[in-house]
Amino acid sequence: MINKEELLQKIPKLLDELKNKNPLTHCITNFVTVNDCANAVLAIGASPIMSEDIEEVAEVVSISDALVINIGKLSHEQVEAMKVSSAQANKINTPVILDPVGVGISQLRNKVTLELIENYKLTAIRGNITEIKTIAKLTGIISESNTAKGVDVSESDIITKDNLNENAKIISKLAANLDTVILASGPIDILSDGETTIAIDNGDEMMPQITGSGCMLSSIVGSCIGATNPLEGTLLAALLMTIAGEKARAKVDNENAGTGSFRAYLIDYLYKLDGQTLINKSNIEIL
Amino acid sequence: MINKEELLQKIPKLLDELKNKNPLTHCITNFVTVNDCANAVLAIGASPIMSEDIEEVAEVVSISDALVINIGKLSHEQVEAMKVSSAQANKINTPVILDPVGVGISQLRNKVTLELIENYKLTAIRGNITEIKTIAKLTGIISESNTAKGVDVSESDIITKDNLNENAKIISKLAANLDTVILASGPIDILSDGETTIAIDNGDEMMPQITGSGCMLSSIVGSCIGATNPLEGTLLAALLMTIAGEKARAKVDNENAGTGSFRAYLIDYLYKLDGQTLINKSNIEIL
Amino acid sequence: MINKEELLQKIPKLLDELKNKNPLTHCITNFVTVNDCANAVLAIGASPIMSEDIEEVAEVVSISDALVINIGKLSHEQVEAMKVSSAQANKINTPVILDPVGVGISQLRNKVTLELIENYKLTAIRGNITEIKTIAKLTGIISESNTAKGVDVSESDIITKDNLNENAKIISKLAANLDTVILASGPIDILSDGETTIAIDNGDEMMPQITGSGCMLSSIVGSCIGATNPLEGTLLAALLMTIAGEKARAKVDNENAGTGSFRAYLIDYLYKLDGQTLINKSNIEIL
């Protein structure tokens, strides 16, 4: 059984490993937030490469430390590139991280998500709680799921203290069944590898009021796993993003600013956060 | 005849309707400013979804409150997606908003714009004055139009107090002929549904010095119409954008900053503006 | 032989020519940084147009003052558009600027880069030192080059005072052989047209910690050449970008901010810099 204090004490070392390795993070992602993803990866000390031409993706995977695939904006060509890249990554044991953006809003997204889950070894899946529960339904773990409204969290899915254990069980079971690490984002995040399940009660409600919070998090999950290991790397990424969000919000409030400034400050704090601050601000619970 | 004071007094209620409805705004738009559009839609309290794969767009339209189509970056696939989406939106009476970016600079853009105008019911068209006058020429409302220079307003087209009435007549006639609401942007904006024509003398000259001011405005026109009604919704969107621009510019001058900070502050004020401020700062005239 | 002081004294006049001409800058570029490129072009007083549909690119080239082609995100369609555009630009003597992003990381990028170099007259090539040395290798100027790591500069390629002359010789020879202006970026930039070679020791280490510094520079090289001439225009663009970077970094440090704010401030200073500040802050040496 992992001890919470021991886990937190590892955070500074994990952050050092990230900065020292400067992992090349290959992202196949959507055109809405791709710039934010590149800047987030750079801010934490990793190096992004956004490549999706089918003629070169396998070569790019071969020099990368992690592959992040994000289905926010699908196209036939991009899905083909995701498959070729994932196959190559699996072949050489490079971690693959999936962000199933908007799964549940169309048959196409459901189909693509299932194809990726069934045919490739995914090291981690990072989505909002509605997306994760949609996957649980699509794979038969649970029988019901709400209709997704766009790409945001459905209100009935929001994780609260009351339904935390119930949601944690679903996510843990899904992680075990798919043999992957899952990070489900919401006001409270749940992280599980099927054995260890952690609730992360950090972050700020302004995060979903900018586009890209989720995509950025998935990208840096890739960087952090590429430099460390799946469960701890995902925890590191989640703490970086949510605590950067808290600090950015405090600065916004202090300046009476809004979401445009929040977006810049979020990257500022991803760049600035150190290991001790992550320990001090973290609010996690091992379930 | 609409009374100006009565119209302005409705603004806070319209803004409340927008925030309460949180309208899902489906944008098929260009890759240059798509991130700005998503953030603008979020900032005013709506929810964006950027989807353009032809396999899923009809499904996405079906769950959305408005469809915004922006021809800033054309491709065959995107144009096909725009047609399928518009047909579906027309079928279920979801409002369609067109931003004819750069119409006039190429035969392709002229052709696509005409196809969209002729084959689908458009609830609103939002473009700069050069683009709107190009459409007036293409549809035979006026006989001459300047050659568009890139995607910006031609100098000879700029709406001033001297040519305001002349331009208002063209725009009103175009709106009546196309049975749509038109918002033509420039230093002075003109809004018309063919019956009521309104001049909006708000905004700041720094707005066209960043990319995306126009695209963001078109996107939030979609959100506002999706939550209210075509004429008043478009007015609300125009006031939100132009008054946010004025306030962002004042902050930039106060801090001796530039266009990079302006862009962040513009989103800040889209997020922060309340109904009373919109009334106080508005400078509109019913023609 | 060009005299350094005479060259610097020309800078304010060149900047005036840029602002007065407001050159229309046609960019075919990658979706990661396209928004940054458009904002950078606008900030210095030029006008961007991002068009890549093969049906319209030749028309867009015909109204533009410069064409910038950036291979950061390749696709078959985009490469075809680059070829059609370059052919049209060559035909009407519009300058063509190439940014060979990531050349060296895949066979595809090497092939595309060589095709563009061999088949079209390029007015300037702007890349990081690793990319430029990869081109020198691909074209037989030098026999060895490091393996590129992603899209960033390889450590062994970094230009320092110790290897400055050696690198300058390679770049000068490459510029002469390809009959083009080359700007190789790094901590020290080297600019050469094959006859005159200039070292530019400006800029800040935070510049590669955001995405888009290089792409933005290539885009404004296009604007500056389009308004002036190849060698001096490229120098103007390099001074604008690197000195804006220095000033943005100073503001970031003063505010204890990070890379998110840096990105906004970089655009702020591109917008604000005047000719006298460029002279005062410039640190160039004619080799």
Side-chain angles (χ1 to χ4, degrees):
Chain A
M1 183 66 189
I2 293 180
N3 175 288
K4 173 181 157 182
E5 291 311 317
E6 281 172 22
L7 185 59
L8 283 177
Q9 292 309 319
K10 283 190 188 174
I11 294 290
K13 188 179 68 68
L14 294 167
L15 189 61
D16 284 346
E17 286 173 27
L18 170 67
K19 309 270 185 194
N20 290 336
K21 182 154 185 183
N22 178 32
L24 187 61
T25 309
H26 178 188
C27 302
I28 302 182
T29 188
N30 69 77
F31 76 142
V32 183
T33 63
V34 61
N35 182 279
D36 297 322
C37 291
N39 276 319
V41 166
L42 283 162
I44 64 166
S47 188
I49 183 160
M50 275 62 182
S51 165
E52 60 183 61
D53 191 290
I54 201 156
E55 280 193 55
E56 73 168 13
V57 284
E59 279 175 279
V60 175
V61 167
S62 298
I63 58 169
S64 299
D65 298 297
L67 170 68
V68 180
I69 53 183
N70 172 311
I71 66 165
K73 189 256 174 194
L74 292 172
S75 70
H76 274 291
E77 290 81 2
Q78 206 189 41
V79 172
E80 286 311 303
M82 288 178 182
K83 292 178 181 173
V84 170
S85 303
S86 299
Q88 175 66 13
N90 282 176
K91 196 171 151 191
I92 60 175
N93 290 317
T94 294
V96 180
I97 292 83
L98 171 67
D99 186 336
V101 179
V103 66
I105 64 167
S106 73
Q107 293 303 315
L108 177 64
R109 290 183 196 229
N110 294 353
K111 188 186 73 173
V112 168
T113 300
L114 277 179
E115 280 177 5
L116 293 169
I117 287 173
E118 287 167 3
N119 294 315
Y120 306 99
K121 161 71 187 148
L122 302 176
T123 306
I125 301 175
R126 201 301 310 171
N128 66 44
I129 181 66
T130 296
E131 291 157 353
I132 297 301
K133 286 174 93 166
T134 300
I135 293 177
K137 189 187 176 196
L138 291 172
T139 56
I141 302 287
I142 54 173
S143 57
E144 274 182 72
S145 135
N146 297 286
T147 305
K149 185 199 172 184
V151 292
D152 300 321
V153 174
S154 297
E155 275 196 34
S156 54
D157 284 334
I158 289 176
I159 301 172
T160 60
K161 288 186 175 145
D162 290 341
N163 62 22
L164 179 61
N165 284 322
E166 179 194 343
N167 278 299
K169 272 183 207 155
I170 295 168
I171 291 163
S172 169
K173 189 169 171 195
L174 183 62
N177 272 32
L178 301 182
D179 188 20
T180 191
V181 167
I182 291 179
L183 174 59
S185 301
I188 298 176
D189 299 344
I190 298 175
L191 166 65
S192 180
D193 65 358
E195 294 190 358
T196 302
T197 301
I198 304 169
I200 307 167
D201 194 1
N202 287 101
D204 185 85
E205 63 186 13
M206 201 171 261
M207 296 177 77
Q209 292 181 286
I210 61 165
T211 191
S213 297
C215 300
M216 286 189 271
L217 175 52
S218 296
S219 296
I220 69 170
V221 165
S223 305
C224 292
I225 290 179
T228 65
N229 66 72
L231 186 70
E232 293 174 345
T234 305
L235 176 63
L236 174 63
L239 290 175
L240 280 166
M241 181 59 67
T242 54
I243 293 170
E246 292 174 8
K247 295 189 81 77
R249 176 58 184 271
K251 187 166 176 181
V252 161
D253 286 350
N254 192 45
E255 296 185 349
N256 194 21
T259 49
S261 294
F262 178 80
R263 179 176 175 242
Y265 299 158
L266 186 67
I267 300 286
D268 282 353
Y269 285 106
L270 284 178
Y271 173 80
K272 288 169 62 179
L273 282 173
D274 58 37
Q276 193 55 50
T277 305
L278 292 179
I279 294 177
N280 295 346
K281 295 281 180 186
S282 69
N283 186 11
I284 71 172
E285 189 186 347
I286 298 179
L287 300 175
Chain B
M1 182 67 189
I2 294 180
N3 174 289
K4 174 181 156 180
E5 291 311 318
E6 284 172 22
L7 184 60
L8 283 177
Q9 292 309 318
K10 284 188 188 174
I11 293 291
K13 188 179 68 67
L14 294 166
L15 189 60
D16 284 347
E17 287 173 26
L18 170 67
K19 309 270 185 194
N20 291 335
K21 183 155 184 181
N22 179 29
L24 187 60
T25 309
H26 178 189
C27 303
I28 301 182
T29 189
N30 70 75
F31 77 141
V32 183
T33 63
V34 61
N35 182 279
D36 298 322
C37 291
N39 277 318
V41 166
L42 283 162
I44 64 166
S47 187
I49 182 160
M50 275 61 183
S51 164
E52 59 182 63
D53 192 290
I54 202 156
E55 279 192 56
E56 74 167 12
V57 283
E59 278 175 281
V60 174
V61 168
S62 298
I63 57 168
S64 299
D65 298 297
L67 170 67
V68 179
I69 52 182
N70 173 309
I71 67 165
K73 190 259 174 191
L74 294 171
S75 69
H76 274 290
E77 289 81 3
Q78 205 190 39
V79 172
E80 287 311 304
M82 288 178 183
K83 291 179 183 175
V84 170
S85 304
S86 299
Q88 175 66 13
N90 283 177
K91 197 172 151 191
I92 59 175
N93 289 317
T94 294
V96 181
I97 292 84
L98 171 67
D99 186 336
V101 180
V103 65
I105 64 166
S106 73
Q107 292 303 313
L108 177 65
R109 290 183 195 229
N110 294 353
K111 189 186 74 174
V112 169
T113 300
L114 277 178
E115 279 177 5
L116 293 169
I117 287 174
E118 287 167 3
N119 295 317
Y120 306 98
K121 163 70 187 149
L122 302 177
T123 306
I125 301 175
R126 203 300 311 173
N128 67 43
I129 181 67
T130 297
E131 291 157 355
I132 297 300
K133 286 174 92 166
T134 300
I135 292 177
K137 188 188 175 194
L138 290 172
T139 56
I141 302 287
I142 55 172
S143 56
E144 274 182 72
S145 135
N146 298 287
T147 305
K149 184 200 172 183
V151 292
D152 301 321
V153 174
S154 297
E155 276 197 32
S156 55
D157 284 334
I158 290 175
I159 300 173
T160 60
K161 288 187 173 142
D162 289 342
N163 63 23
L164 178 61
N165 284 320
E166 182 194 340
N167 278 299
K169 273 182 205 156
I170 294 168
I171 290 162
S172 170
K173 191 172 170 191
L174 184 60
N177 272 31
L178 301 181
D179 188 20
T180 192
V181 167
I182 292 180
L183 174 58
S185 301
I188 299 176
D189 298 345
I190 298 176
L191 166 64
S192 180
D193 65 359
E195 294 189 359
T196 302
T197 301
I198 304 169
I200 307 166
D201 194 0
N202 287 102
D204 186 86
E205 63 186 11
M206 200 171 262
M207 295 175 76
Q209 292 181 286
I210 61 166
T211 192
S213 297
C215 300
M216 285 189 270
L217 175 52
S218 297
S219 297
I220 68 170
V221 165
S223 304
C224 292
I225 290 180
T228 64
N229 65 73
L231 187 71
E232 292 174 348
T234 305
L235 176 63
L236 174 63
L239 290 176
L240 280 166
M241 182 57 68
T242 55
I243 293 169
E246 291 174 9
K247 294 187 82 76
R249 175 58 184 273
K251 187 166 176 180
V252 161
D253 286 350
N254 191 46
E255 295 185 350
N256 194 22
T259 50
S261 295
F262 178 81
R263 179 175 174 243
Y265 299 159
L266 186 67
I267 300 286
D268 282 352
Y269 284 106
L270 285 177
Y271 173 79
K272 288 170 62 181
L273 282 173
D274 58 37
Q276 193 56 50
T277 305
L278 291 179
I279 293 177
N280 295 346
K281 293 283 181 185
S282 70
N283 187 10
I284 71 171
E285 188 186 348
I286 298 179
L287 300 176
Chain C
M1 184 64 190
I2 293 179
N3 174 290
K4 172 182 158 182
E5 292 310 318
E6 283 172 19
L7 183 60
L8 283 177
Q9 292 310 316
K10 283 188 187 175
I11 293 291
K13 189 178 68 68
L14 294 166
L15 189 61
D16 285 346
E17 287 174 25
L18 171 68
K19 308 271 184 192
N20 291 334
K21 182 156 186 182
N22 179 31
L24 187 60
T25 309
H26 179 189
C27 302
I28 301 181
T29 188
N30 68 76
F31 76 141
V32 183
T33 64
V34 60
N35 183 279
D36 297 322
C37 291
N39 276 319
V41 166
L42 282 162
I44 64 166
S47 188
I49 183 162
M50 275 62 184
S51 164
E52 59 182 64
D53 191 290
I54 202 156
E55 279 193 56
E56 73 167 14
V57 284
E59 279 175 279
V60 174
V61 167
S62 298
I63 58 167
S64 298
D65 298 298
L67 170 67
V68 180
I69 52 182
N70 173 310
I71 67 165
K73 189 257 173 194
L74 292 172
S75 69
H76 275 290
E77 290 80 2
Q78 205 189 42
V79 172
E80 287 310 303
M82 288 179 182
K83 290 178 183 174
V84 170
S85 303
S86 299
Q88 175 66 13
N90 282 176
K91 196 172 152 191
I92 60 174
N93 290 316
T94 294
V96 181
I97 292 83
L98 171 67
D99 187 335
V101 180
V103 67
I105 63 166
S106 73
Q107 293 304 312
L108 177 65
R109 290 183 195 229
N110 293 353
K111 188 186 74 172
V112 169
T113 300
L114 277 179
E115 279 176 5
L116 293 169
I117 288 174
E118 286 167 3
N119 295 315
Y120 306 99
K121 162 70 187 149
L122 302 176
T123 306
I125 301 173
R126 204 299 312 169
N128 67 42
I129 182 68
T130 297
E131 291 157 353
I132 297 299
K133 287 174 92 165
T134 300
I135 293 177
K137 189 187 174 196
L138 290 172
T139 56
I141 301 288
I142 55 172
S143 56
E144 276 183 68
S145 135
N146 296 287
T147 304
K149 184 199 172 183
V151 293
D152 301 320
V153 174
S154 297
E155 274 197 33
S156 55
D157 284 336
I158 289 175
I159 300 172
T160 59
K161 285 184 177 147
D162 290 341
N163 63 21
L164 179 61
N165 284 321
E166 181 194 341
N167 278 299
K169 272 181 206 157
I170 295 168
I171 291 163
S172 169
K173 191 171 170 192
L174 183 62
N177 273 31
L178 301 180
D179 189 19
T180 193
V181 166
I182 291 179
L183 174 59
S185 302
I188 300 176
D189 298 345
I190 298 176
L191 166 64
S192 180
D193 64 0
E195 294 190 0
T196 302
T197 301
I198 305 170
I200 307 167
D201 194 0
N202 287 101
D204 185 84
E205 64 186 11
M206 202 171 262
M207 295 176 77
Q209 292 181 286
I210 61 166
T211 192
S213 297
C215 299
M216 285 190 269
L217 176 52
S218 298
S219 296
I220 68 169
V221 165
S223 304
C224 292
I225 290 180
T228 65
N229 66 71
L231 186 70
E232 292 174 347
T234 305
L235 176 63
L236 174 62
L239 290 175
L240 280 166
M241 182 58 68
T242 54
I243 293 169
E246 292 174 9
K247 293 187 83 75
R249 176 58 185 273
K251 188 166 176 180
V252 161
D253 286 349
N254 192 45
E255 295 185 349
N256 194 21
T259 50
S261 295
F262 178 81
R263 178 175 175 244
Y265 299 159
L266 187 66
I267 300 286
D268 282 353
Y269 284 106
L270 285 177
Y271 173 79
K272 288 170 63 181
L273 282 174
D274 58 36
Q276 193 56 49
T277 305
L278 291 179
I279 293 177
N280 294 347
K281 294 283 181 184
S282 70
N283 187 11
I284 72 172
E285 187 186 348
I286 298 178
L287 301 176

